[in-house]
Amino acid sequence: MADFDFNVIWSSLPFLWQGLQLSLWLTFLSIIGGIVLGTLLALARLSGILPLSLIAATYVNLIRSVPLILVIFWFYFLVPLVLGRPIGSFYSALIAFVLFEAAYYSEIMRAGIQSVKRGQIHAGQSTGLNYWQIQRYVVLPQAFRNMIPILVTQGIILFQDTSLVFVVSLRDFMTASSIVARTEGRLVEMYLFAAVVYFVICFSGSMLVRSLKSRMST
Amino acid sequence: MISIENISKWYGDFRVLSNCTTSVRKGEVVVVCGPSGSGKSTLIKCVNGLEPVQEGKITVDGDEVTAKRANLTALRSRIGMVFQHFELYPHMSVLENLCLAQEKVLGRGRKEAVVRAEKLLTRVGMEDHAKKYPSQLSGGQQQRIAIARSLAMDPIAMLFDEPTSALDPEMIKEVLDVMIELAQEGMTMMVVTHEMGFARKVADRVIFMDEGAIVEDRPTNDFFDNPESERAEDFLSKILGH
Ligand SMILES: Nc1ncnc2c1ncn2[C@@H]1O[C@H](COP(=O)(O)OP(=O)(O)O)[C@@H](O)[C@H]1O
Ligand SMILES: [Mg+2]
């Protein structure tokens, strides 16, 4: 124990904080984008319009059978080719996360939409609301509310997954910790610290999920 | 007002409705009764096109509900419907429940919708509960709100599907009172119910269904005093508790 030097953490805090900000910002934007796109996919899948639901189902199944790290790579190399100019690692990573997470969020939203009772749809229909109005004002708000705990859980997984962006040389919290660990030669301290930070954030998330669940069941 | 001509409906191989024919004139109150599973809910859901039929024709106020190109949303906005389990929107306040379709379907402005909503809440005795959420209200209160929500659309007819059968006994009366008042004001109503007191009091006719068919369709007093079929007689003696 005597060899441990935790001062290294203190002195590199600003650098680590920058990394953490990137991780959190990427998580936040990906959750928003993933839920929006995922909801659209879920609606397409349940629309009863065969080509639409087929496209959505294919997309979801395709994405869910490739590893995230591959998708991140793809977009890093693909997007500049398509657009004809580089857009930077952050945006290519963000696009990859949104497209990837949307597949998972769409499955969650699909379950949420199906959890809304049929009678609610009948009530909307009987007052003359059309299909999209019923989805927008009656079904989706309830689906979303029913699924909040699972959506947050998926967000925690997403946060952990942001550590993969090192492959496109983005400096997220994990990457920042590794850099400090290697340049200062304090591997044990830094990786211990990183673990603690991830644990605190994810554990708070789980506690939030738990309290949301118990509040919803009353 | 409502005309049902020879409709039949199947769920797969199962025939839920067979050759049902009846009509409801303007201002008439018709009670539909019959054993559970006899197709009562299905029949009234067909009237506003919530369920499609495979054979036959239904028209409401001259518009054909069963037409291929029927404008169902426009049609439905003119027919109110009240459900067994109320089906208020749980994520909206009482006031929002009453305003949503007024604004989105009828295109009423916020102010107009609120004025109409408040008037109807007063009418069903719920004016003090506009800001509450459905989960804060009793079943009887929720059903009165559901009736008000339908009335806010100024419907030309109202459909009720067992509006009191999910209620505790002490709340049945407050809902029936609202419905009786509505009937006496001349609303055209088709009511699935087992409340025979209500039927005797306000129904012009009673339809008795069994196994998807309309077995009897007669003036209220005739139905109660001498039911023609054995099945109706059986049903009545069970439900009236002898
Ligand atoms: N969506 C459905 N799919 C298959 N069968 C159904 C469906 N809805 C109702 N049924 C069947 O149709 C019959 C009539 O149902 P319903 O109209 O609800 O009867 P009631 O309202 O008189 O109790 C019942 O046997 C029921 O099981
Ligand atoms: Mg029924």
Side-chain angles (χ1 to χ4, degrees):
Chain A
M1 286 304 268
D3 286 353
F4 277 23
D5 174 14
F6 285 98
N7 275 331
V8 58
I9 296 168
W10 185 248
S11 58
S12 42
L13 263 188
F15 182 70
L16 295 169
W17 171 235
Q18 272 186 349
L20 188 59
Q21 275 179 313
L22 185 133
S23 297
L24 291 172
W25 189 227
L26 184 60
T27 303
F28 175 75
L29 292 177
S30 305
I31 289 177
I32 303 287
I35 289 178
V36 170
L37 184 58
T39 303
L40 292 175
L41 283 167
L43 284 174
R45 193 134 180 215
L46 296 170
S47 66
I49 303 166
L50 195 63
L52 263 186
S53 61
L54 216 62
I55 291 171
T58 310
Y59 177 85
V60 169
N61 289 322
L62 211 70
I63 289 285
R64 296 213 306 170
S65 46
V66 289
L68 172 58
I69 197 159
L70 192 63
V71 181
I72 297 173
F73 258 134
W74 258 5
F75 279 90
Y76 186 61
F77 294 112
L78 209 65
V79 174
L81 286 182
V82 173
L83 290 181
R85 64 188 169 85
I87 56 165
S89 337
F90 182 78
Y91 288 106
S92 84
L94 178 61
I95 293 171
F97 270 95
V98 167
L99 293 176
F100 185 84
E101 292 299 325
Y104 290 84
Y105 279 120
S106 91
E107 290 296 272
I108 297 172
M109 287 309 291
R110 186 159 71 113
I113 290 169
Q114 285 172 326
S115 75
V116 177
K117 287 189 303 162
R118 221 178 129 66
Q120 288 283 304
I121 297 168
H122 280 158
Q125 286 178 323
S126 74
T127 53
L129 293 170
N130 66 33
Y131 180 83
W132 294 110
Q133 290 171 328
I134 291 172
Q135 298 302 324
R136 162 77 179 76
Y137 298 107
V138 179
V139 176
L140 286 180
Q142 294 185 61
F144 189 74
R145 205 174 59 164
N146 293 348
M147 290 297 126
I148 283 178
I150 309 179
L151 293 169
V152 175
T153 303
Q154 183 65 26
I156 296 171
I157 298 172
L158 172 55
F159 172 66
Q160 294 166 353
D161 285 348
T162 55
S163 60
L164 290 174
V165 296
F166 76 90
V167 297
V168 291
S169 26
L170 272 180
R171 210 175 284 157
D172 72 308
F173 178 67
M174 190 59 227
T175 310
S177 306
S178 309
I179 291 172
V180 174
R182 270 181 281 110
T183 51
E184 305 283 335
R186 291 285 170 188
L187 298 180
V188 181
E189 290 90 333
M190 275 320 296
Y191 287 133
L192 205 60
F193 177 68
V196 168
V197 170
Y198 275 107
F199 174 80
V200 167
I201 291 175
C202 296
F203 188 70
S204 320
S206 310
M207 296 306 283
L208 176 70
V209 170
R210 194 181 297 181
S211 84
L212 283 171
K213 269 188 185 157
S214 69
R215 200 182 318 163
M216 280 169 65
S217 63
T218 53
Chain B
M1 166 81 60
I2 300 171
S3 131
I4 299 171
E5 292 169 47
N6 241 321
I7 61 162
S8 293
K9 177 178 175 63
W10 286 262
Y11 283 119
D13 287 339
F14 176 66
R15 189 169 191 168
V16 229
L17 296 176
S18 36
N19 299 315
C20 296
T21 300
T22 189
S23 60
V24 183
R25 283 193 308 273
K26 190 166 188 303
E28 209 175 14
V29 176
V30 173
V31 158
V32 182
C33 62
S36 146
S38 57
K40 307 177 299 290
S41 300
T42 309
L43 180 72
I44 68 163
K45 279 179 189 154
C46 290
V47 172
N48 65 354
L50 287 185
E51 292 286 352
V53 297
Q54 278 83 39
E55 279 177 16
K57 182 175 165 185
I58 298 174
T59 58
V60 176
D61 198 29
D63 293 325
E64 190 180 339
V65 182
T66 44
K68 277 243 153 56
R69 302 214 153 271
N71 184 351
L72 283 180
T73 52
L75 247 158
R76 286 174 185 143
S77 68
R78 302 167 62 208
I79 310 168
M81 184 154 190
V82 174
F83 303 86
Q84 184 174 359
H85 298 288
F86 333 129
E87 305 300 350
L88 294 178
Y89 309 129
H91 57 295
M92 292 181 194
S93 70
V94 165
L95 191 67
E96 296 302 328
N97 264 278
L98 266 72
C99 288
L100 179 66
Q102 288 192 68
E103 292 176 34
K104 304 300 170 196
V105 178
L106 301 180
R108 287 183 184 154
R110 181 72 192 171
K111 252 201 188 138
E112 194 187 352
V114 170
V115 168
R116 186 90 186 98
E118 283 172 344
K119 205 164 157 190
L120 284 161
L121 286 177
T122 308
R123 177 167 174 182
V124 300
M126 292 295 295
E127 65 276 15
D128 296 334
H129 303 274
K131 293 220 165 62
K132 290 194 180 157
Y133 282 79
S135 58
Q136 297 169 286
L137 301 169
S138 74
Q141 292 175 320
Q142 290 190 52
Q143 194 61 299
R144 285 187 279 151
I145 305 275
I147 294 173
R149 177 174 69 181
S150 290
L151 292 176
M153 301 296 286
D154 299 320
I156 55 171
M158 290 278 290
L159 308 171
F160 294 82
D161 189 3
E162 304 206 31
T164 57
S165 60
L167 296 177
D168 293 334
E170 72 270 18
M171 294 171 189
I172 292 179
K173 187 173 177 297
E174 66 190 55
V175 172
L176 288 181
D177 284 347
V178 171
M179 291 168 62
I180 290 169
E181 203 185 303
L182 204 56
Q184 286 167 346
E185 284 168 13
M187 175 61 81
T188 308
M189 293 162 68
M190 207 169 165
V191 185
V192 176
T193 185
H194 290 162
E195 293 295 329
M196 291 301 139
F198 170 82
R200 269 188 189 280
K201 187 158 187 177
V202 295
D204 298 293
R205 279 177 22 241
V206 176
I207 291 174
F208 173 75
M209 291 185 72
D210 195 22
E211 296 181 346
I214 293 180
V215 180
E216 298 209 24
D217 181 352
R218 303 173 57 213
T220 307
N221 288 336
D222 293 1
F223 177 76
F224 283 112
D225 297 343
N226 45 21
E228 277 170 351
S229 63
E230 226 167 87
R231 285 188 281 182
E233 209 167 328
D234 259 18
F235 175 78
L236 274 176
S237 69
K238 263 185 214 137
I239 211 148
L240 297 172
H242 312 299

